[in-house]
């Protein structure tokens, strides 16, 4: 899995103007991001709007990306869903499509006990011979599992790691400590990427790597070389852009920035924020101040 040790965009799903998933625009964005040095792709998670798409759309999107990537970098397919059956169908498909790994957010909406959540993960892990990366995102799912829970998961055959999307790097460290070195933990919040790496995250999966790939790849390289002061300066720089992003829905903001960078990805699906002309003008001004 050494290839996953780097900056992995949670890929925006490019749509056509009529809202259908775009084959051409997907290939263009994937090519561009590979040229910027990203370590792989994470598909159909929060950023990818997987929960706003049909199972068939998620499957066909993975197939397009796999075809374009041609094994140059690893591809992680997010297969998470509210129900186990859908996650299992998507996992079998991802295995067949040749994805490197699957990942699944804790089942959301209903308040399940940790035994049920563990069962959900075991069912996914048993669905196909493909590694599984769990996904901890308490702010979005309302499901907050303990380090002990992840220790149990890490003992399950096929569950190789965790995408940890929370600012609490202490909690992340506690999980890494009990799960052991072979359990790969990926940093979720881009605004504290350097802190996550410093605490021991194996790699980083995030949304703003779609719009600032080169900056984060550079930060990661500096970190690996032990040039922490320089890496920190890059983190400060990208965080000024993330501060602007916070004024909007992050997906709406990132699609607008990508459009300004020459990658039209269409509009996010409703109910995600649809930007007004004034908001677009404001984002255009941000993009001009941060030309990367
Ligand atoms: C995913 O599954 O698409 C993600 O990786 C989401 C991670 C993002 N979290 C949220 C709440 O959107 O990249 C982060 C986030 O957009 C970024 O740190 C800016 O806040």
């Amino acid at each position: 899995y050494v290839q996953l040790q780097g900056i992995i965009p949670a890929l925006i799903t490019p749509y056509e103007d009529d809202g259908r998933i775009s084959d051409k625009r997907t290939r263009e964005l994937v090519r561009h991001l590979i040229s910027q040095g990203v370590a792989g792709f994470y598909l159909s998670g929060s950023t990818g709007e997987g929960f706003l798409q049909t199972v068939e759309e998620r499957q066909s999107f993975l197939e397009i990306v796999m075809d374009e990537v041609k094994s140059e970098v690893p591809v992680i397919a997010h297969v998470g869903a509210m129900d186990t059956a859908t996650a299992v169908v998507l996992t079998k498909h991802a295995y067949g499509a040749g994805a490197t790994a699957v990942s699944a957010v804790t089942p959301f909406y209903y308040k399940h006990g940790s035994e049920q959540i563990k069962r959900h993960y075991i069912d996914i892990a048993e669905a196909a011979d493909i590694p599984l990366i769990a996904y901890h995102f308490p702010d979005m799912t309302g499901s907050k599992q303990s380090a002990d829970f992840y220790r149990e998961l890490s003992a399950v055959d096929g569950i190789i790691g965790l995408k940890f999307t929370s600012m609490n790097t202490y909690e992340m460290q506690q999980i890494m400590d009990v799960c052991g070195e072979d359990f790969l933990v990926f940093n979720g919040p881009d605004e504290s990427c350097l802190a996550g790496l410093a605490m021991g995250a194996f790699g980083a999966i995030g949304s703003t790597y779609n719009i600032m790939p080169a900056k984060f790849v550079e930060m990661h390289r500096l970190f690996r070389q032990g040039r922490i002061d320089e890496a920190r300066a890059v983190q400060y720089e990208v965080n000024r852009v993330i501060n602007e992003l916070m004024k909007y829905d992050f997906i709406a903001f990132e699609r607008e920035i990508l459009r300004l960078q020459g990658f039209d990805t269409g509009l996010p699906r409703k109910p995600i924020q649809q930007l007004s002309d004034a908001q677009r003008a404001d984002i255009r001004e941000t993009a001009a101040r941060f030309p990367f």
Side-chain angles (χ1 to χ4, degrees):
Y1 307 116
V2 59
Q3 263 193 295
L4 289 169
Q5 208 166 17
I7 297 299
I8 301 173
L11 192 62
I12 289 274
T13 303
Y15 299 124
E16 293 290 346
D17 293 344
D18 65 8
R20 280 177 305 125
I21 288 176
S22 172
D23 186 290
K24 179 166 174 286
R25 291 174 174 179
T26 297
R27 291 175 189 276
E28 286 167 0
L29 181 58
V30 161
R31 261 302 111 215
H32 160 68
L33 292 171
I34 290 178
S35 78
Q36 301 300 299
V38 303
F41 292 103
Y42 188 91
L43 312 189
S44 308
S46 325
T47 308
E49 302 179 23
F51 305 116
L52 306 182
Q53 296 161 357
T54 65
V55 166
E56 292 72 27
E57 284 180 313
R58 289 170 71 170
Q59 293 175 338
S60 83
F61 186 60
L62 173 62
E63 288 165 20
I64 296 166
V65 173
M66 291 307 298
D67 187 59
E68 187 58 38
V69 164
K70 295 183 184 67
S71 308
E72 283 175 59
V73 294
V75 174
I76 305 167
H78 178 261
V79 297
M82 262 169 77
D83 68 307
T84 305
T86 298
V88 163
V89 165
L90 287 167
T91 299
K92 291 188 164 136
H93 171 266
Y95 172 69
T100 311
V102 293
S103 178
V105 79
T106 44
F108 49 92
Y109 189 73
Y110 296 104
K111 298 292 165 244
H112 306 292
S114 51
E115 269 315 305
Q116 284 69 54
I117 297 174
K118 189 174 167 197
R119 189 66 243 172
H120 177 78
Y121 278 118
I122 292 173
D123 286 343
I124 297 172
E126 288 177 348
D129 187 14
I130 183 167
L132 169 60
I133 298 168
Y135 184 176
H136 177 83
F137 198 168
D139 281 356
M140 211 77 112
T141 59
S143 170
K144 196 173 180 324
Q145 303 307 310
S146 65
D148 229 35
F149 172 83
Y150 288 112
R151 184 182 51 73
E152 286 176 24
L153 269 198
S154 70
V156 174
D157 241 18
I159 303 187
I160 63 156
L162 175 68
K163 168 162 147 56
F164 182 88
T165 301
S166 153
M167 292 292 184
N168 194 333
T169 44
Y170 168 59
E171 219 167 72
M172 179 169 90
Q173 180 272 332
Q174 292 292 295
I175 292 170
M176 292 190 291
D177 198 25
V178 296
C179 293
E181 273 179 18
D182 294 343
F183 194 66
L184 313 179
V185 175
F186 295 86
N187 183 77
D190 313 347
E191 50 275 56
S192 57
C193 181
L194 184 60
L197 292 171
M199 205 54 122
F202 186 76
I205 299 168
S207 73
T208 66
Y209 312 151
N210 285 279
I211 60 169
M212 302 184 278
K215 282 285 163 191
F216 277 102
V217 167
E218 169 73 354
M219 189 185 83
H220 182 255
R221 187 181 63 82
L222 291 166
F223 170 75
R224 299 283 301 217
Q225 293 175 347
R227 294 159 67 182
I228 302 302
D229 289 351
E230 292 163 85
R232 189 187 305 114
V234 179
Q235 181 76 71
Y236 275 47
E237 212 183 333
V238 293
N239 282 8
R240 291 185 196 112
V241 176
I242 294 178
N243 290 343
E244 298 297 322
L245 167 148
M246 304 277 188
K247 297 181 192 162
Y248 299 98
D249 180 283
F250 72 103
I251 299 175
F253 179 92
E254 290 180 21
R255 285 185 185 275
E256 190 58 22
I257 293 281
L258 281 173
R259 207 172 60 74
L260 295 165
Q261 292 176 345
F263 301 95
D264 194 345
T265 63
L267 297 174
R269 287 194 174 168
K270 287 184 183 178
I272 294 177
Q273 182 179 33
Q274 310 288 307
L275 299 171
S276 68
D277 288 346
Q279 290 171 324
R280 281 183 205 286
D282 176 53
I283 295 174
R284 203 175 318 122
E285 191 266 332
T286 299
R289 270 191 296 134
F290 300 98
F292 47 81

